[in-house]
Amino acid sequence: MKTTVGSLEGSRQNLFINGAFVAPKGGQYIDSFDPTTGKPWYQFAEADAEDVGAAVEAARSAFANPAWRRMTQTDRGKLVRRLAELVLEHADELALIETRDNGKLLKEMRAQMRAMPDSYTYFAGMADKLLGDTIPVNKLDMLNFNLREPIGVVGMITPWNSPLMLLTGTLAPCLALGNTVVVKPSEHATASTLALAELIMEAGFPAGVVNVVTGTGAVAGDALTRHPGIAKFVFTGSTVTGRRIAANAAENLIPCSMELGGKSPHVVFGDVDIDHAVNGVVSGVFAAAGQTCVAGSRCFVEASVYDRFVEALVERTRRVRVGSPTLEETDIGPLALSAQLAKVETYVASGVRQGASIAAGGRRPQAAELAGGWYFEPTVMTDADNGMDFMQEELFGPVVGVMPFSSEDEMIQLANDTRYGLASGIWTRDINRALRFARNVEAGTVWVNTYRASSFMSANGGFKESGYGRRGGFDAMEEFSRLKNVVIDYSGAMHDPFIIRLR
């Protein structure tokens, strides 16, 4: 991999189409900003509709190319496994690139990059294990069976908060199945996806199997989601953008898989160790500076321990260290975008106007060394009401609202009183209560006495306005394949052409 943080500094990054890095047709480039300084550090190509069309056509040609189309499932698995080896080999450099691009903690990015190869290896092992099935019919001289086959060209728009990890969850099964791909990374974090493209070439994938177009959502993203050559579309991001993408894809009857926004409930009962639960809540909402779709940003605490819990939460929050994401001692780095920082500030101010109180944080840190960066203190809001704007809208920042509840029924009502349904968490020693919560909460993921624990072997996704479709585990292989039914008459007899033979 030639791309490093050093080589990116002050550089211009091109599009990756049909196995080569090429300049955009319009010749335009866009600045990418370092969240720790607020200053540009490299430029990426601004793709237009013509560039996107070239990428889709390259993917379509690769899908039909015998070098890919006729490759055995086992050999495809070997290629994906080789990619896993290369990702692991370059994990630390990929981590540095992402940290510089989106401001997330270097130690978190290293952990992600070193774990990612396991996902590629998992799906590589599935490449030759996706089975069809035979189906009985009422005629003994008929063979009726299903085949699973690749769906075609898959379009993907990935987010800026964990670009490669979230791309891996869909790219790995797509490649293992024999699909081809066009990726448009977020315009706020493009570098690591382009670096991955180098590794895809080095692994030996045929040209055009994976293509990367960078640029804005309004131009490149819109062109990709409207392109009739796409067989399926995958998006991770906001619900507002998801609606626009689904509408564009619907023009060509293209199915979508979407992981959208969240406003996840994090519930604490009085029978647990308070310090343990506090650590879980802190991890659940402040990790990654709150820039995760599953952030447990609505915290409901049983009334009997509410005051004690809030006191412990505030004390723990004040010990969270805000600083440079490259330092080991840092707990929270900057927000990825200046617009995101402004949004968080706006919603915190709105919460105060609506009657909430700031118990901890609530402002930009005052340390001189953080001036110019997009930092915000971890914030605890008390006197919250579930109807307040900051309790209903996804802030994507380090802010948690805390409010008490008196009964299990009230808690479930509060937890489900949101248009989102991505994740949820509960802290209790009562297994019956935990199971009732899991049954009744409207969320695609339920964590009990933990939070943000995840595995590529598990299917995950959202309910309600948090999206649809599932990623991870065997379900991902079904998401990115299509089912074909085959019926063979082997009787050799002549039949009445007006009689249906399967019934």
Side-chain angles (χ1 to χ4, degrees):
M1 188 180 79
K2 296 179 181 178
T3 300
T4 64
V5 168
S7 69
L8 278 167
E9 193 84 45
S11 70
R12 280 187 166 182
Q13 299 297 300
N14 284 321
L15 310 171
F16 182 70
I17 299 175
N18 203 29
F21 287 95
V22 296
K25 299 290 185 184
Q28 299 300 306
Y29 293 80
I30 301 172
D31 287 330
S32 185
F33 291 85
D34 181 340
T36 65
T37 64
K39 297 177 181 178
W41 70 292
Y42 73 93
Q43 293 184 320
F44 58 90
E46 183 176 6
D48 60 18
E50 187 176 356
D51 294 311
V52 170
V56 174
E57 286 310 308
R60 284 169 59 87
S61 295
F63 185 70
N65 183 354
W68 182 245
R69 184 76 170 179
R70 300 290 297 168
M71 184 180 291
T72 67
Q73 294 93 330
T74 300
D75 285 343
R76 279 205 309 268
K78 290 177 181 177
L79 273 184
V80 177
R81 194 171 289 109
R82 174 59 181 150
L83 179 57
E85 294 168 354
L86 290 170
V87 170
L88 184 59
E89 181 181 336
H90 296 281
D92 288 353
E93 190 60 45
L94 291 170
L96 279 168
I97 291 170
E98 288 214 346
T99 291
R100 187 72 186 278
D101 224 10
N102 66 9
K104 292 186 75 173
L105 298 185
L106 180 57
K107 58 189 176 185
E108 181 184 357
M109 291 298 95
R110 281 181 179 146
Q112 282 189 10
M113 299 304 155
R114 292 171 183 176
M116 262 175 21
D118 288 342
S119 183
Y120 284 108
T121 301
Y122 174 80
F123 287 108
M126 276 197 186
D128 54 7
K129 298 174 183 65
L130 193 66
L131 307 177
D133 52 357
T134 58
I135 304 164
V137 294
N138 291 331
K139 300 292 181 182
L140 296 180
D141 51 4
M142 289 281 189
L143 176 61
N144 181 26
F145 63 96
N146 287 334
L147 294 176
R148 282 217 168 260
E149 60 184 24
I151 197 170
V153 180
V154 179
M156 301 178 183
I157 292 182
T158 54
W160 45 261
N161 57 333
S162 288
L164 287 190
M165 184 189 75
L166 293 170
L167 173 61
T168 294
T170 52
L171 181 63
C174 277
L175 296 179
L177 283 161
N179 295 297
T180 57
V181 177
V182 179
V183 183
K184 195 208 86 69
S186 166
E187 55 264 45
H188 305 298
T190 65
S192 60
T193 305
L194 291 167
L196 181 68
E198 293 182 41
L199 301 183
I200 288 168
M201 277 197 301
E202 186 177 343
F205 286 86
V209 169
V210 177
N211 306 271
V212 182
V213 289
T214 58
T216 66
V219 178
D222 186 71
L224 184 60
T225 56
R226 293 181 186 276
H227 200 291
I230 299 293
K232 182 159 186 171
F233 203 84
V234 180
F235 173 68
T236 302
S238 74
T239 299
V240 172
T241 303
R243 282 197 180 95
R244 291 199 297 266
I245 289 171
N248 286 355
E251 293 177 5
N252 296 306
L253 298 178
I254 297 171
C256 297
S257 176
M258 297 195 176
E259 182 182 302
L260 306 178
K263 197 67 182 174
S264 301
H266 207 161
V267 178
V268 178
F269 276 89
D271 61 345
V272 296
D273 181 282
I274 294 297
D275 290 336
H276 188 198
V278 163
N279 280 336
V281 170
V282 165
S283 172
V285 71
F286 297 146
Q291 297 172 116
T292 64
C293 298
V294 299
S297 54
R298 293 185 302 139
C299 184
F300 304 112
V301 182
E302 191 168 18
S304 61
V305 295
Y306 177 80
D307 291 339
R308 188 154 56 98
F309 180 87
V310 168
E311 182 182 358
L313 177 62
V314 168
E315 190 276 330
R316 180 68 183 85
T317 299
R318 287 175 177 159
R319 289 191 284 116
V320 173
R321 291 160 295 194
V322 181
S324 168
T326 60
L327 299 177
E328 282 295 314
E329 62 266 25
T330 297
D331 296 315
I332 290 184
L335 297 175
L337 319 174
S338 60
Q340 197 61 35
L341 174 59
K343 178 182 178 181
V344 170
E345 290 179 314
T346 296
Y347 274 108
V348 169
S350 167
V352 172
R353 286 196 305 271
Q354 293 177 337
S357 302
I358 298 175
R363 62 177 186 171
R364 302 187 191 193
Q366 303 303 298
E369 65 270 20
L370 303 182
W374 300 324
Y375 295 91
F376 196 78
E377 293 178 340
T379 300
V380 177
M381 304 280 283
T382 55
D383 301 317
D385 180 272
N386 201 49
M388 293 177 177
D389 291 344
F390 86 98
M391 291 286 281
Q392 286 294 314
E393 300 299 327
E394 184 180 42
L395 275 61
F396 229 58
V399 179
V400 61
V402 191
M403 63 177 293
F405 67 88
S406 299
S407 69
E408 192 174 319
D409 287 343
E410 180 191 10
M411 176 271 295
I412 286 293
Q413 183 179 0
L414 289 168
N416 290 338
D417 183 18
T418 171
R419 66 181 187 273
Y420 298 110
L422 189 58
S424 61
I426 183 172
W427 296 81
T428 181
R429 289 175 175 160
D430 186 335
I431 187 61
N432 295 323
R433 176 188 290 145
L435 290 172
R436 286 193 298 270
F437 177 78
R439 173 73 68 179
N440 293 320
V441 72
E442 295 171 349
T445 296
V446 181
W447 286 298
V448 179
N449 297 332
T450 186
Y451 205 87
R452 292 183 74 231
S454 63
S455 169
F456 53 83
M457 292 178 277
S458 300
N460 58 77
F463 297 167
K464 300 192 287 188
E465 291 189 20
S466 289
Y468 49 86
R470 289 295 179 269
R471 305 180 200 186
F474 190 80
D475 297 79
M477 299 296 278
E478 294 187 345
E479 284 276 350
F480 297 108
S481 62
R482 61 187 180 188
L483 199 63
K484 179 181 287 182
N485 182 242
V486 181
V487 180
I488 301 174
D489 183 340
Y490 57 89
S491 68
M494 296 293 293
H495 302 295
D496 187 328
F498 299 105
I499 295 177
I500 297 175
R501 293 283 297 161
L502 288 179
R503 301 189 180 163

